[in-house]
Amino acid sequence: MDLAALKTQLKNFVQSMFEEGVLDNQFSQIQALQDSTNPNFVEEVITLFCNDAERIINEINRNLGYQNVDFSNLDSYVHQLKGSSSSIGANRLKLACANLRQASDERNKEG
Amino acid sequence: MATMHRVVQSSVSTSDATTTSYGGLTSCKAADIVISDQFPAGLRVLVVDDDITCLKILEQMLHRCRYHVTTCPQAKVALNLLRERKGCFDVILSDVYMPDMDGYKLLEHVGLEMDLPVIMMSADGSTRAVMKGIRHGACDYLIKPIREEELKNIWQHVVRKKWNENKELEHSGSLDDTDQHKRGHDDAEYGSSANDATDTSLKPLKKRSNSKEGDDGEIDNDDPSTSKKPRVVWSVELHQQFVSAVNQLGIDKAVPKRILELMNVPGLTRENVASHLQKFRLYLKRISGVAQQGGIANPLCGPVEANVKIGSLGSFNIQPLAASGQIPPQTLAALHAELLGRPAGNLVVAMDQSALLQATPHGPKCIQVDHGVAFIQHLVKSESSSSKHFSQSFAPVEDVASGFRSWPSNNIDTAGPSNSGGLSTQNGNMLIDLLQQQQQLQKPQQRSTVSELRRSINVQPSCHVVPSQSSASFQAGNSPVSVTQNGSYSRTAVIDYNFLSSQSNCPSLNIGQVSDVNLQTTGVLSGYIPPASVSPSVSSCSVYADNCASQQVQTSSITFKASRRLPGFVHSTSNIPDPYGSTKSGDLLNQEPFNNLGYINKGTCLPAKFAVDEFQSHLSSSSHGKVFSENIGTRVKQEPSMEFGDNAKVGIPMLQQFPPNDLMSVFTE
């Protein structure tokens, strides 16, 4: 594939994510932030985000794996994830976090 | 970019220029004070967030706004950074939830130490969280995800804060607003107690405006964020000037403008005077509160009060001599202060003095005397430099006091009263009280007598207070207090207080009965409180004399009782210490007689009785009092150096001629 094709594919992919609600307006903002002074901004941000999010998700999983889940601890992690995802525009992820938070507030492990 | 930064900074600094260094703007500001169009570009922002994704995004956004960005993932590191480079940041963006430190805590630290605008951020946008942020002092609260437009506006917080600071600075007046600080430090003026009071009052003030006061306090030499105003140092002389001005006007009528005019000090602004006056008033209130505790409070209270006071005083006195000393002075001081409307400082001083007195290694008598003296001293001191007099007077007291004890307190009372008519009366009362107290302290017996005396004394117009006004002659001013020192104490007090003596040395004092020095030197001050010997009190003196006379009667009666109790106890209420110089004779009287009395009294109650009787008789007629005083005065003068025999006479003269004679006879017997 040539570059143009890749780009188009990416664009489409991103577009679809927007439509699905995976990405939201914030992402557009981040995209807009990319300029000549910082050409790889978006990429950097996404990379950062992914790494960070992975870390947090792992923590959350671990917490959930415990018999007695420490919900307050969990809550802080989820909060972090939520913040990051919202900053980057990962809408769905943010929503998922919100749900998780609510469930943890209710001490509902199942949720 | 760099140049732009510089320009921006200069522009930023220009906005700060008025405030001289906002957040410690660095020298970048340099000279130009033109707010370029670049503003708010170049704003130096510090971003603190544990989420590095967020950090990155914010950094990018802020760059887009043409701000100068520094990011920091840890709050502690950020705080250190801020401390190191105080002038390097204009605004701080901080996340609320952070692992190493709570965002609110960071907020507080920054507010206290650096006074920079802090903007909170969080994904949590609940009202509760926002409210908490505001309560902690955040300038703004942004909800994540943060949009670029929101960041574009953060410069408004910077500008607003700077302008507010400027405005505050302007309003505080030309001279510094930190005369409060100064006042707190002016121990000399107010004495320890006063100082404490002022200090405490100052402290809250300091804390209140962190940025302003705190900065001023912290960054004294550097450019504080708020413009610095020269501080007005309320030196002792300046304070005395202030006090005299206030007294002249009357505490109620004392308005800063008039005070300022009266003081006629170049460079002093109305605001300085106003704040100083406010502090002074608070001090007076405080003192009066204390005085009341001591039972002396309300100098003017009249007999009733006097009684009460006496009681309280008595109890006070009796307990610890030293304490007694303190109390009387304090009360006296308080009284004085109140009466004179003088700065509480005086009171404090008086009080301190008493403390001093106590401290001074006087003989036992001294202690008592000290009380009185101390008190007087305090009064005096507060007044002004004359405090020295007291100390001096104290010294002599000691000498004399050897025999006299607690006299001083009594003396003081008497001395006080002599002061300026109105005020002094109060003081006088106070003094009397003090004296009484002291007397009481000295001797339990005395106590009763003292109380009685006090009563009488209280009735008397507190003259002595006035002296304080005249700061100059101040010595005596408070001196009424010295009156009590019948014994040695009175002597000193009297001398110092000569002021009073001149006036009428309140024969009443004399009447106070020279308490036997030895016994108890209960300077029965009999409230003769020499009419404020102070010049102003002169007029009052006459009045006072009358009062004294009347009082004397009372006191004499009291003393009489007291005397009965005390063997040959002459309560010579050293009246009056009128420091104003004239009292000297009075002093002498007090002292002398006491000495003698003490000496002689030991065994003889008679003299006292006589004296008492005498007094009473004297008292009956105000004129007597006057005469008495005269006699005493003269006598006293002669006596100062008297020996026992003579002293007796002298002492007695106070009582007024009669007593001396009687005493003499007694002695001879």
Side-chain angles (χ1 to χ4, degrees):
Chain A
M1 279 198 197
D2 62 345
L3 184 58
L6 272 175
K7 276 192 179 173
T8 314
Q9 193 176 20
L10 179 60
K11 196 165 147 205
N12 289 335
F13 183 58
V14 170
Q15 187 63 29
S16 68
M17 279 205 282
F18 267 117
E19 288 162 9
E20 287 176 26
V22 176
L23 293 176
D24 63 8
N25 211 7
Q26 184 71 8
F27 192 71
S28 315
Q29 289 230 359
I30 294 181
Q31 279 180 320
L33 282 175
Q34 181 153 317
D35 56 14
S36 57
T37 61
N38 205 348
N40 298 323
F41 179 70
V42 181
E43 177 218 340
E44 287 169 11
V45 172
I46 293 174
T47 311
L48 275 173
F49 171 73
C50 287
N51 289 336
D52 205 34
E54 192 180 344
R55 181 181 60 82
I56 295 176
I57 290 173
N58 285 336
E59 287 288 326
I60 293 174
N61 274 334
R62 186 143 44 88
N63 261 331
L64 286 172
Y66 294 145
Q67 270 306 99
N68 299 325
V69 180
D70 182 3
F71 283 106
S72 55
N73 197 15
L74 186 69
D75 189 66
S76 65
Y77 279 126
V78 174
H79 177 79
Q80 281 183 32
L81 188 60
K82 183 180 171 212
S84 301
S85 58
S86 63
S87 298
I88 200 168
N91 199 27
R92 285 261 286 261
L93 186 51
K94 183 180 68 172
L95 292 173
C97 286
N99 287 338
L100 184 51
R101 275 194 104 185
Q102 199 169 2
S104 86
D105 282 345
E106 297 165 4
R107 303 290 190 263
N108 185 356
K109 193 171 171 186
E110 300 306 318
Chain B
M1 195 73 129
T3 46
M4 189 169 67
H5 279 311
R6 243 172 252 124
V7 171
V8 171
Q9 283 191 345
S10 62
S11 63
V12 169
S13 58
T14 54
S15 60
D16 304 332
T18 42
T19 44
T20 63
S21 59
Y22 173 76
L25 280 183
T26 53
S27 50
C28 336
K29 327 199 272 181
D32 17 314
I33 317 283
V34 179
I35 296 202
S36 73
D37 301 329
Q38 306 290 353
F39 186 78
L43 203 68
R44 292 158 305 173
V45 187
L46 175 69
V47 188
V48 187
D49 198 337
D50 60 328
D51 182 0
I52 46 178
T53 314
C54 210
L55 216 55
K56 185 97 181 130
I57 296 171
L58 282 169
E59 187 183 6
Q60 181 65 12
M61 284 192 200
L62 289 166
H63 272 302
R64 291 277 281 229
C65 296
R66 296 190 297 187
Y67 293 157
H68 189 239
V69 187
T70 311
T71 60
C72 199
Q74 285 171 320
K76 295 213 173 69
V77 174
L79 211 56
N80 288 338
L81 206 63
L82 281 168
R83 288 192 186 118
E84 284 168 24
R85 305 193 246 161
K86 277 223 168 125
C88 284
F89 299 105
D90 298 314
V91 65
I92 298 171
L93 254 62
S94 171
D95 186 31
V96 170
Y97 297 104
M98 287 188 288
D100 60 339
M101 190 194 289
D102 189 25
Y104 297 119
K105 253 211 210 96
L106 177 67
L107 171 61
E108 281 174 17
H109 279 298
V110 173
L112 285 171
E113 295 176 25
M114 292 139 237
D115 189 33
L116 294 175
V118 180
I119 298 172
M120 309 295 294
M121 306 179 291
S122 182
D124 180 10
S126 64
T127 312
R128 186 176 44 84
V130 179
M131 178 66 84
K132 193 173 173 196
I134 292 173
R135 231 183 299 120
H136 283 271
C139 282
D140 204 354
Y141 192 105
L142 305 177
I143 300 174
K144 291 183 184 173
I146 301 188
R147 296 185 309 262
E148 195 173 334
E149 305 88 70
E150 293 175 352
L151 291 179
K152 280 216 176 101
N153 263 354
I154 61 176
W155 62 268
Q156 64 175 293
H157 302 295
V158 176
V159 174
R160 188 186 300 121
K161 210 168 176 101
K162 283 206 196 114
W163 285 348
N164 281 343
E165 284 171 0
N166 282 348
K167 227 186 289 184
E168 283 188 37
L169 288 174
E170 289 166 9
H171 286 179
S172 18
S174 62
L175 286 181
D176 91 42
D177 54 22
T178 51
D179 60 334
Q180 299 164 353
H181 295 280
K182 264 328 169 159
R183 291 218 37 87
H185 302 314
D186 272 346
D187 287 290
E189 294 186 11
Y190 293 112
S192 53
S193 57
N195 284 335
D196 292 339
T198 48
D199 277 338
T200 47
S201 64
L202 286 180
K203 291 216 170 87
L205 276 168
K206 260 195 175 166
K207 296 214 171 115
R208 244 187 287 134
S209 48
N210 288 340
S211 55
K212 298 250 173 344
E213 302 262 355
D215 283 346
D216 277 349
E218 292 173 337
I219 320 175
D220 235 3
N221 302 325
D222 316 335
D223 257 10
S225 55
T226 58
S227 67
K228 235 163 102 99
K229 291 180 305 235
R231 290 187 183 190
V232 171
V233 179
W234 281 92
S235 64
V236 177
E237 298 85 39
L238 198 62
H239 180 69
Q240 273 167 3
Q241 267 183 291
F242 171 82
V243 173
S244 57
V246 169
N247 288 330
Q248 225 173 304
L249 294 168
I251 189 67
D252 292 328
K253 292 222 200 78
V255 283
K257 196 162 188 313
R258 302 258 13 246
I259 296 174
L260 188 64
E261 289 168 13
L262 279 173
M263 285 178 71
N264 196 21
V265 170
L268 197 65
T269 67
R270 200 200 68 81
E271 290 84 15
N272 299 124
V273 174
S275 63
H276 194 79
L277 180 68
Q278 187 179 42
K279 283 192 230 158
F280 182 57
R281 287 215 175 103
L282 286 171
Y283 179 76
L284 287 179
K285 236 184 272 174
R286 219 185 334 259
I287 296 302
S288 67
V290 170
Q292 283 178 356
Q293 288 176 5
I296 298 187
N298 309 329
L300 300 176
C301 297
V304 178
E305 291 185 356
N307 293 329
V308 175
K309 293 185 192 170
I310 297 176
S312 56
L313 286 178
S315 55
F316 272 103
N317 293 338
I318 303 233
Q319 291 167 5
L321 278 186
S324 59
Q326 289 179 346
I327 297 181
Q330 291 182 351
T331 46
L332 281 179
L335 287 173
H336 279 286
E338 289 188 356
L339 292 175
L340 298 178
R342 290 228 207 137
N346 294 334
L347 288 179
V348 177
V349 177
M351 296 189 1
D352 291 341
Q353 294 201 357
S354 57
L356 282 177
L357 289 177
Q358 297 178 355
T360 56
H362 291 281
K365 54 185 189 237
C366 293
I367 297 182
Q368 295 171 347
V369 172
D370 288 340
H371 297 318
V373 176
F375 185 82
I376 301 183
Q377 284 190 348
H378 288 300
L379 293 176
V380 173
K381 268 194 185 172
S382 57
E383 292 296 329
S384 50
S385 51
S386 52
S387 57
K388 290 200 180 171
H389 272 276
F390 289 115
S391 53
Q392 294 175 1
S393 59
F394 283 91
V397 175
E398 290 185 338
D399 301 335
V400 183
S402 60
F404 303 124
R405 278 171 286 149
S406 56
W407 236 88
S409 52
N410 297 328
N411 297 332
I412 299 184
D413 289 335
T414 51
S418 53
N419 289 336
S420 47
L423 292 178
S424 55
T425 53
Q426 290 181 353
N427 293 332
N429 290 331
M430 282 178 44
L431 286 178
I432 299 181
D433 287 339
L434 286 180
L435 291 172
Q436 292 182 347
Q437 288 178 348
Q438 293 190 353
Q439 295 181 346
Q440 293 180 357
L441 291 176
Q442 303 178 356
K443 300 181 201 266
Q445 299 171 355
Q446 294 181 342
R447 195 189 333 178
S448 56
T449 53
V450 173
S451 55
E452 291 177 341
L453 288 176
R454 286 197 203 239
R455 230 171 329 160
S456 57
I457 297 182
N458 289 322
V459 179
Q460 297 178 356
S462 50
C463 319
H464 53 242
V465 179
V466 181
S468 55
Q469 295 239 347
S470 50
S471 56
S473 52
F474 199 81
Q475 335 173 319
N478 303 316
S479 54
V481 175
S482 59
V483 176
T484 50
Q485 293 222 326
N486 298 319
S488 52
Y489 191 77
S490 56
R491 199 174 12 186
T492 55
V494 179
I495 296 181
D496 289 332
Y497 303 114
N498 285 333
F499 314 122
L500 297 174
S501 58
S502 59
Q503 309 265 327
S504 46
N505 281 318
C506 303
S508 55
L509 288 181
N510 297 326
I511 300 187
Q513 291 195 355
V514 183
S515 52
D516 25 338
V517 180
N518 299 338
L519 301 182
Q520 311 178 337
T521 62
T522 47
V524 170
L525 297 179
S526 57
Y528 279 108
I529 308 189
S533 52
V534 185
S535 50
S537 55
V538 177
S539 55
S540 56
C541 293
S542 55
V543 175
Y544 190 82
D546 292 336
N547 295 329
C548 292
S550 55
Q551 290 181 353
Q552 290 179 355
V553 177
Q554 297 174 356
T555 53
S556 61
S557 57
I558 295 178
T559 56
F560 183 80
K561 294 182 200 174
S563 59
R564 296 219 195 116
R565 302 226 197 124
L566 305 172
F569 190 84
V570 183
H571 295 291
S572 46
T573 50
S574 43
N575 341 5
I576 34 181
D578 280 74
Y580 301 105
S582 53
T583 49
K584 195 154 196 155
S585 57
D587 293 338
L588 296 179
L589 284 177
N590 296 330
Q591 296 173 356
E592 300 291 347
F594 294 123
N595 292 322
N596 295 329
L597 292 176
Y599 190 83
I600 300 179
N601 283 331
K602 273 206 171 162
T604 54
C605 318
L606 295 181
K609 287 203 187 147
F610 281 102
V612 175
D613 292 336
E614 298 298 355
F615 285 116
Q616 289 180 341
S617 57
H618 291 294
L619 295 176
S620 55
S621 56
S622 56
S623 58
H624 280 295
K626 293 188 183 159
V627 175
F628 188 83
S629 54
E630 292 175 359
N631 294 331
I632 300 176
T634 50
R635 297 271 183 122
V636 175
K637 289 180 185 168
Q638 296 171 356
E639 313 222 333
S641 52
M642 320 175 20
E643 321 151 85
F644 289 117
D646 295 338
N647 290 337
K649 287 183 190 171
V650 176
I652 305 191
M654 298 218 322
L655 295 183
Q656 258 197 344
Q657 311 174 350
F658 304 96
N661 296 332
D662 296 330
L663 290 175
M664 291 307 292
S665 58
V666 174
F667 291 141
T668 53
E669 291 175 354

